[in-house]
Amino acid sequence: NSSAVVKTYACDVANEEELNNTFKQIKSDYDRIDFLIINAGVATIDLLGDYKDLGDVTCSIKINLLGAVGTTYLSMPLLQSGSRILFISSGFGLFGAAGYSLYATAKAGIINFADALRRELLHRNISVHVACPGDIDTPMLAGELQTMPAWMKTGSGRATPLGADKAADYILRKCVNERFMIVPSLDVSFLILLQKLLPRKLTTLIIDHVLPLPPKDENLT
């Protein structure tokens, strides 16, 4: 719609004061939220033992998980019957990958948070959805590829990234069709299918061979 008016607000979702102040302004400007999309996040690539200090470890969790929870909490007074909430998680929320331990932890948390919230809001007629895509062609992925260690690029089972427009269109169509978990990427769908069809021990072995592992002499201390 060429006549639509877009208003933007900027804040650090990991900063409680900034997030509170932003929502004070939003509540002053609007009386409801029809479609809340929780998409803010960062992807850090490091083995857990390679992080410099505890602050670096918790920073990723604060942005990717606590920022999503906080944004949802502050949105609750503005959500009414017929509203929708969409969380953008990741395939790595379903399968933990070496080098993405903190990212996978946060994204798995989002999936379970969304599942619990869906049940909390059933009687309010507020729909909750969570998308678990594989790689999407975005600036964040480009940044990942620039800093990705050589062992992660070798033998990676990750598929060709989806175009951002294609991924967004697929996810939004599934939201309209009331799908809770939305998986737009074939590689993630394949791994989910394996988990359904095969014993856990066997699927774990397969995924261990599909996703790259750090070399045996990697310093994990």
Side-chain angles (χ1 to χ4, degrees):
N1 186 349
S2 59
S3 64
V5 176
V6 176
K7 186 165 186 175
T8 61
Y9 306 84
C11 77
D12 178 357
V13 296
N15 184 302
E16 289 186 19
E17 183 178 3
E18 285 191 28
L19 199 55
N20 272 310
N21 289 337
T22 298
F23 269 90
K24 285 179 183 177
Q25 187 60 54
I26 292 173
K27 291 172 184 176
S28 174
D29 294 340
Y30 300 99
D31 61 0
R32 65 175 289 154
I33 293 176
D34 294 314
F35 199 162
L36 175 66
I37 301 176
I38 308 290
N39 186 50
V42 294
T44 52
I45 304 175
D46 264 316
L47 301 178
L48 184 61
D50 291 338
Y51 283 89
K52 295 179 181 179
D53 54 48
L54 186 58
D56 284 345
V57 171
T58 58
C59 180
S60 176
I61 304 296
K62 286 178 180 178
I63 295 171
N64 290 321
L65 179 56
L66 297 184
V69 173
T71 299
T72 308
Y73 168 73
L74 292 172
S75 299
M76 294 303 288
L78 297 174
L79 297 170
Q80 300 178 16
S81 177
S83 295
R84 294 184 186 277
I85 306 173
L86 168 63
F87 295 93
I88 306 300
S89 180
S90 168
F92 284 157
L94 299 167
F95 319 97
Y100 286 88
S101 57
L102 301 181
Y103 183 77
T105 296
K107 293 302 185 179
I110 284 181
I111 293 170
N112 283 279
F113 176 64
D115 195 28
L117 191 67
R118 182 186 66 81
R119 293 185 175 91
E120 290 186 13
L121 299 178
L122 276 174
H123 295 307
R124 290 184 55 187
N125 192 35
I126 296 173
S127 301
V128 178
H129 315 269
V130 59
C132 298
D135 288 331
I136 297 177
D137 188 8
T138 63
M140 187 172 84
L141 177 62
E144 284 181 57
L145 296 175
Q146 288 180 353
T147 60
M148 188 176 286
W151 64 262
M152 193 176 287
K153 297 178 181 179
T154 304
S156 173
R158 294 161 72 166
T160 302
L162 281 174
D165 290 347
K166 183 177 180 180
D169 179 69
Y170 182 91
I171 291 168
L172 291 175
R173 283 191 286 109
K174 293 300 182 181
C175 282
V176 173
N177 292 331
E178 303 298 336
R179 178 74 62 85
F180 167 66
M181 181 172 288
I182 302 166
V183 183
S185 307
L186 290 177
D187 54 340
V188 178
S189 296
F190 175 71
L191 293 178
I192 292 173
L193 182 62
L194 284 184
Q195 284 193 327
K196 291 180 178 179
L197 297 177
L198 301 176
R200 176 64 183 265
K201 185 175 183 180
L202 181 55
T203 57
T204 298
L205 288 173
I206 292 172
I207 294 173
D208 284 350
H209 283 84
V210 169
L211 296 179
L213 299 174
K216 292 181 179 180
D217 61 349
E218 190 75 27
N219 181 16
L220 301 178
T221 61

